[in-house]
Amino acid sequence: MAKYILEMDDIVKTFSGVKALDGVDLKVEEGEIHALVGENGAGKSTLMNVLSGVYPHGEYTGDIVFKGETCEFKRLSDSEKKGIVIIHQELALVQFLSVSENIFLGNEQSTKGVIDWGLSNKKAKALLDKVGLKINPQILVAEISVAQQQLVEIAKAMSKEVKLLILDEPTAALNDNDSENLLKLLKEFQKQGITSIIISHKLNEVIDIADKVTIIRDGKTVETLTKDNISEDRIIKGMVGRELTNRFPKRDVEIGETIFEVKNWDVYDETFRDKKKLKNINFHIKKGEVIGIAGLMGAGRTELALSIFGQSFGSKITGEMYKNGNLLKIKSIPEAISNGIAYLSEDRKSAGLNLIQSIRENISIASLDKISKNNIINYGKETKIVEEFREKLNIKSSGISQEVSSLSGGNQQKVAIGKWLLSDPDILFLDEPTRGVDVGAKYEIYSVINEIAAEGKAVCVISSELPEILGMCDRIYAMSEGIFTGEVKNENVTQEELMELMTMNIKEGVS
Amino acid sequence: MQMTKNQTKNKRIASDMLKNILSKYSMVFIFIALLLLFQYLTGGIIFRPLNVTNLILQNAYVLVLALGMLLVVLLGNVDLSVGSVVAFVGAVAGKLMVDMNWNPYIVIPLALIIGGIIGIWNGYWIAYLGIPSFVVTLGGLLMFRGLTQIILGGKTLAPFPEEFQFISSGYFPSLNPGGFHLLSVILGAVITIITIFMLISSRKTKEKNLYEVESMGMFITKMILTIALIMGVTWVLAQYRGYPFVLVILAFLTMIFSFVTKKTTIGRRIYATGGNRKAAQLSGVNTKSLEFWIFVNMGVMSALAGLVLASRLNASTPQAGEGFELDALAAVYIGGASTSGGIGTVLGTIIGALIMGLLNNGMSIMGVGVDWQSAIKGLILIFAVVFDVWNRKRKLKA
């Protein structure tokens, strides 16, 4: 019988009442490459954070057995001592330190407290050779490419005598060539006896490299596939397969004419100004229609919505935007709002709400002109309107004076939605409208979306949750790596087909 | 059994209420405690008419600066240049009025405009180029102190024309010269009536608009305390020379700032931006122009403080306003504002400024050296903020 290096048994982790992990099992054999797959929000990252001690022992229930030893990690350094190293999707390198300084950060090569630079650089060079990176260890991290930075992270992990290497979406930001090299490297490590867990959305990679695949859905382990029964179909089925009955309210709306259209939309990145983030995007929304933009994290969905919403993302934006056939030239968010566009942000805590203020202030902030005259606020009017929205959206609270930070996730999201409903838009972009929201509140939010559409408005739902997209949208645009990979009618598509479009691998250079 | 349960419950509610009141009005209690403490330690000098008048005149600048600084802090910034701007504007005013004999009625608005231009300078870098306010205004602190010395050539300019001196040494005329200041008493009575009316109407609006209001008992206590304060101050001032003119400026500014922060869309945008800048931007708030204008306003307020100070000293000196930025910031933080922005009120700031002023005044009368004064003020600032942070954490946990 094979020997397990890691056994995670019945892991349960709750965030303020919502179960993020609900009895996950994960068994990894010594020396294998194990892939962990699942939709966004399925619980993969949470699981890895439990494993590495980011969520300390006591905040979760269940057992972690590593190398036959039950482990109770209190902090990240505890798990690192055992040889468990995570490389996160967002690299944790210090940009303005050298490669060798980064590799030995917190583990400086020193004699009696004085850093031995000669030794550091020599050791760093050896580690870089190991990962196949031919650069001078003394150059700054800021000067090397993302792919090279990824390798530096791995070299850093190697410096800690890693037994179990965990890579969270290692190839998300890499091109094909670099990805291939990275995967080869993992195979190389495997020969040296290092076990790896790789989290990835790119299923072709997973199939290529993994000895086993564990599928997680809704915080539960669905199944673990072994080499001989891994197939893309089976993985997709496992990732998305859940019942769709009654989770979405019915909608009966007559769909009218096109109200909003975007043509030849090209956007370059904000920081890397020569990198095209969105390529030749074309789409339209009809009156009363709910369209979906389906894409995984990093596909460019949020960037698309933000670039439309008053150019709040991107540089060198080109292309046209039409509302009711008229060309719109929008350069700022206030202009976007006054032209009837609304954008519900993906992350309500960091970009959607002012948590230290009450429901009242949060709902009225995008429509202050509606409740004021000559810049003086009409409190009576504001009270009436906000109270109306509180009731209509069924925001569970002690009153409109309750501070938003003390509301549950679902009710916070309703406040954010209320803010945009008050602005009375014609076109609404809803970015992950139900993220971190429990099932009951989800249904209520879906009902609200239906009502909005019934009023003859155009709604665009951005989501990585396929059931949500399929349950809510009339028409769906699939997106991958900054381009639209397909437009499908809801009734003609299965989750599997959609997932295929979303994970489509676009070769570099295609425009 | 049931009884005891209810009793403990009532007890708990009562102690919770007391804690709430203590934490909400903690700075008011500290102010009153300090007042009584100094009254005892100075053998009653603190409440003497001459001293109360002095207390107002000496500390008018803190309040003027603190009001401007409140808006700066609400956006999560600081302005360290205000002390130097106070000196710079005083120096320019001195040069124009003393050396060049310009008319004060021209110099005063000109000085305020100069303050505005300084604000534009600070605000541009901070708001539109994203340079940290700490750095920009630290540069301003050095730069304007230097320019002050260049203008004055290291000398003191004095005296100012009488019209200009009036700002800080003018009083409301007495109806019966030499005697009791009846006009000031009448004014005090009018202010009292207006205050009562405003407190009641504000409570009614709050109730109507579903705000939480304090209990009736609390409200009446608050009202009695406020009235006592106004009438007490009036009574004491009337025994000396009546209401000082600068008090009118302060009252006017307080009303304006209170109104803007509470009742206008500008105030809403300031709090929204301070609480979550990104969310405010995505809600259509032009956070950059807001930040810019707040610094312009701070510049104008610094200029005003500069004029008040120059008038009070009746001279332009190179050292004027040294450390004022810290007094103003301390007042704002003691008044309950959050260093990260989004939290703070005009009323709190006034109390913060009063505490700072009282400390300055009380310790001076007691003959405490400048060294110890500074140490004690620093300690009080730290404790005030620590208390505030602790209080907020407790609230979050509950």
Side-chain angles (χ1 to χ4, degrees), chain A residues 64-80:
Chain A
I64 300 175
V65 180
F66 185 68
K67 291 189 149 235
E69 226 182 294
T70 305
C71 297
E72 296 178 354
F73 299 130
K74 290 263 186 271
R75 57 189 72 83
L76 199 61
S77 55
D78 292 351
S79 65
E80 280 188 356

Side-chain angles (χ1 to χ4, degrees), chain A residues 317-366:
Chain A
I317 299 173
T318 55
E320 297 100 56
M321 199 180 345
Y322 297 92
K323 183 180 161 190
N324 295 323
N326 302 319
L327 186 67
L328 282 186
K329 286 219 181 288
I330 293 176
K331 296 240 183 274
S332 72
I333 293 173
E335 278 171 27
I337 295 173
S338 63
N339 275 295
I341 303 178
Y343 168 73
L344 178 76
S345 63
E346 172 181 35
D347 184 347
R348 62 177 164 269
K349 284 197 173 146
S350 75
L353 296 169
N354 181 358
L355 295 172
I356 57 175
Q357 279 190 313
S358 71
I359 297 176
R360 167 200 297 271
E361 280 94 1
N362 274 286
I363 285 189
S364 63
I365 185 68

Side-chain angles (χ1 to χ4, degrees), chain A residues 306 309 312 333-334 337 343 345 348-358 360-361 364-369 371-372 375-384 387 398-403 405 419-420, chain B residues 74 205-213 259-287 338 340-344 392 395-396 398:
Chain A
L306 283 174
F309 187 59
S312 35
I333 293 173
I337 295 173
Y343 168 73
S345 63
R348 62 177 164 269
K349 284 197 173 146
S350 75
L353 296 169
N354 181 358
L355 295 172
I356 57 175
Q357 279 190 313
S358 71
R360 167 200 297 271
E361 280 94 1
S364 63
I365 185 68
S367 326
L368 289 177
D369 53 329
I371 53 146
S372 65
N375 281 328
I376 294 164
I377 293 171
N378 181 338
Y379 273 86
K381 201 168 169 188
E382 183 186 37
T383 307
K384 202 171 144 249
E387 183 61 25
S398 60
I400 59 172
S401 298
Q402 189 174 345
E403 206 175 280
S405 61
K419 169 169 81 179
W420 291 115
Chain B
L74 277 177
T205 335
K206 274 189 173 174
E207 266 177 346
K208 210 166 66 194
N209 289 308
L210 310 169
Y211 276 95
E212 284 168 37
V213 290
F259 181 77
V260 169
T261 51
K262 275 191 188 153
K263 305 264 181 190
T264 68
T265 55
I266 301 163
R268 275 296 170 80
R269 293 191 173 112
I270 291 173
Y271 283 103
T273 304
N276 187 341
R277 188 173 292 236
K278 179 100 199 174
Q281 271 167 1
L282 285 175
S283 302
V285 176
N286 191 341
T287 54
S338 153
S340 50
I343 297 172
R392 211 166 305 150
K395 210 176 119 192
L396 271 182

Side-chain angles (χ1 to χ4, degrees), chain B residues 253-395:
Chain B
L253 287 177
T254 305
M255 268 164 54
I256 297 276
F257 275 78
S258 222
F259 181 77
V260 169
T261 51
K262 275 191 188 153
K263 305 264 181 190
T264 68
T265 55
I266 301 163
R268 275 296 170 80
R269 293 191 173 112
I270 291 173
Y271 283 103
T273 304
N276 187 341
R277 188 173 292 236
K278 179 100 199 174
Q281 271 167 1
L282 285 175
S283 302
V285 176
N286 191 341
T287 54
K288 285 180 182 170
S289 99
L290 195 66
E291 194 165 41
F292 175 76
W293 285 107
I294 282 178
F295 275 98
V296 174
N297 173 67
M298 183 77 250
V300 175
M301 296 298 277
S302 307
L304 180 59
L307 294 176
V308 169
L309 183 76
S311 158
R312 159 102 185 133
L313 300 174
N314 195 16
S316 302
T317 69
Q319 293 84 29
E322 263 175 7
F324 281 17
E325 61 280 345
L326 305 180
D327 279 351
L329 276 168
V332 173
Y333 293 142
I334 289 174
S338 153
T339 48
S340 50
I343 297 172
T345 60
V346 170
L347 192 67
T349 302
I350 292 171
I351 291 172
L354 285 176
I355 290 178
M356 288 303 285
L358 187 60
L359 285 170
N360 285 335
N361 181 267
M363 289 194 289
S364 295
I365 295 172
M366 282 169 63
V368 177
V370 184
D371 40 8
W372 275 107
Q373 285 198 23
S374 179
I376 290 169
K377 280 196 291 185
L379 213 62
I380 287 183
L381 169 66
I382 291 171
F383 281 131
V385 177
V386 167
F387 178 77
D388 195 48
V389 168
W390 170 79
N391 211 4
R392 211 166 305 150
K393 273 193 186 150
R394 196 187 56 118
K395 210 176 119 192

